[in-house]
Amino acid sequence: MALSAVHRRRNRSILMPESQIAPAVLLRSVAITFGPKVGGYTAVQNIDLSVSPGEFIAIVGPTGCGKSTLLNASAGLLKPSDGKVEIFGVPLHGLNSRAGYLFQQDALMPWKTALQNVAVALEPKGVLRKEAEAMARDWLRRVGLAAFVDRYPHMLSGGQRKRVALAQMLIRDPEILLMDEPFGPLDAQTRQIMGNLLLELWAANRKAVLFVTHDLEEAIALADRVVVMSAGPAAGIIGEFPVPLPRPRDIAEVRLEPAFHHIHKKIWASLRTEVQKAYAQGEGATQ
Amino acid sequence: MNRLKLILLQVAVGFGFLLLWHVLTNYPILAPTRQTQFFFSTPLDVLARVWKEFASGEIWRHLWITLMETILAFAFGAGGGILFGFLFARRELLAAVFDPYIKAANALPRVVLAPIFALWFGLGIWSKVALGFTLVFFIVFFNVYQGVREVSPVVLANARMLCMNERQLLRHVYWPAALTWMFSSLHTSVGFALVGAVVGEYLGSSAGLGYKIHEAESVFDVTGVFAGMVILSIFVILIDFVVTLIERRLLVWRPAPSTNGQG
Ligand SMILES: Nc1ncnc2c1ncn2[C@@H]1O[C@H](COP(=O)(O)OP(=O)(O)O)[C@@H](O)[C@H]1O
Ligand SMILES: [Mg+2]
């Protein structure tokens, strides 16, 4: 039966225009085990998740539950030990070339200036250097770094570096955006500015977004749907909550709405026990 | 003020040393001056000899030869080191197979190779270049190998997510990472290129600073030996200065070690 389902999906994706029916990212019974298949550490298990084109999804869960692992699987950086990953209806082999990835850690090339870091993202597309630099300049202006184009990453603040990375990801115009706690290390004000910036850019050109955060309020303020994961090992998805707040949203103002509190309360009820579980395992101390 | 004080102290130490040397060799304190001067010469004599070497123009030819040998040894050694460092870092099997041989070759004291190189390449500059090469090659090789192997996995994953192909990864990620490591050892490897040249000249040649020193030594001309050493030191300091300039130019992207670059 499972086999015929596979066949049907495959045929469908060939016969019909994929954008209409196929989710941008589809994870089906995905499990990821580190180390040996037997006796290794199973980080996530039985993950079913579907992200439609243009949909903004936030993933929350206790630290160490496997959020980054899921993004890595969607990016093609990690091969699931079980289950499968489909991108716009096509099974994923190797790297996901239709996705942009904003990493949790600093991933800029330290030997390139902000401008060079952003412009180099266009090189694989065959854009000429002059043109790429003009576009990069424009993107850096859009993320508010017009005055910092010639700085090297070590001369930028954490928030500025994240903005360069954002521009580097967006300039390629990927159809899927994978973001791993992009605003994690930033202070509260910068987070708000970055959140609004992200929403603004996204509203102008809607992409499928998988946004990982440990901040539930941020998740609700940004996303169309919040996905809650359980504590590891063998973490799974324990709830999906739609966020029917109207757009455009302002990160700071949306938090004051009664509907926001209502959703927050509902999600927190399911998240809380998992966070406590993670703490009890000592995961909370280590990240 | 602080800097000035430091310079004054540095000058004082140098001057004190010269003064001590002068006093001990010009007055019969420890032994008769004839004897001390035979073994230690005197600072004024050495200075006069250095001056004479430069004034007569005799030394330039030797400096030029040593400089050429150093540059060639460095260029070939660094080129080979980069090439093989890259190759071995990207091809696990090669690295694994050749590992014991590379370790053995690197463990060999290079001085024993000098006569063989003289036999193979003659007494001209190439035997010295070869000796310098064997020294520079391994330093650069190990550093580039390390640099390519230890590229930050996040930077690499990010570059791959930008859809870079192998050639672009090489150019934008591996190469700069390897260069960083190479430059961190630049002073050492240039120094070794010079050591190779001078030791090679010393052991058999007809020109170069090493030859000058050897020539003076063979006739017990201590003043000549010391003068050669002084010229060699000046030469090394100048080369090191040039290397520092190049390094500053190429590694502008690195945070200065003294300032706290994190923000
Ligand atoms: N390469 C690895 N080898 C072994 N265990 C890993 C590896 N990467 C992640 N893990 C484990 O998998 C779990 C999930 O990690 P991760 O996805 O980074 O969590 P987070 O939700 O905080 O992003 C963690 O318990 C972590 O220790
Ligand atoms: Mg993570």
Side-chain angles (χ1 to χ4, degrees), chain B residues 45-126:
Chain B
D45 283 350
V46 170
L47 228 60
R49 180 71 70 89
V50 170
W51 177 252
K52 205 183 105 201
E53 294 280 7
F54 279 103
S56 71
E58 157 77 7
I59 198 70
W60 295 111
R61 188 170 68 91
H62 298 284
L63 273 179
W64 173 250
I65 298 241
T66 302
L67 182 66
M68 277 326 285
E69 288 164 355
T70 304
I71 290 175
L72 286 172
F74 176 76
F76 285 118
I82 289 172
L83 192 73
F84 282 91
F86 254 104
L87 199 66
F88 279 44
R90 304 290 292 145
R91 300 273 176 274
E92 286 288 330
L93 184 66
L94 268 183
V97 170
F98 280 91
D99 182 61
Y101 298 104
I102 286 173
K103 287 209 178 104
N106 187 38
L108 196 70
R110 297 321 128 73
V111 178
V112 304
L113 291 174
I116 297 189
F117 285 151
L119 201 65
W120 290 349
F121 302 112
L123 292 177
I125 66 168
W126 292 105

Side-chain angles (χ1 to χ4, degrees), chain B residues 21 37 52 60 80 97 128 155 194 209 223 225:
Chain B
W21 184 7
Q37 283 184 12
K52 205 183 105 201
W60 295 111
V97 170
K128 286 81 198 171
V155 171
L194 184 67
L209 280 181
T223 310
V225 173

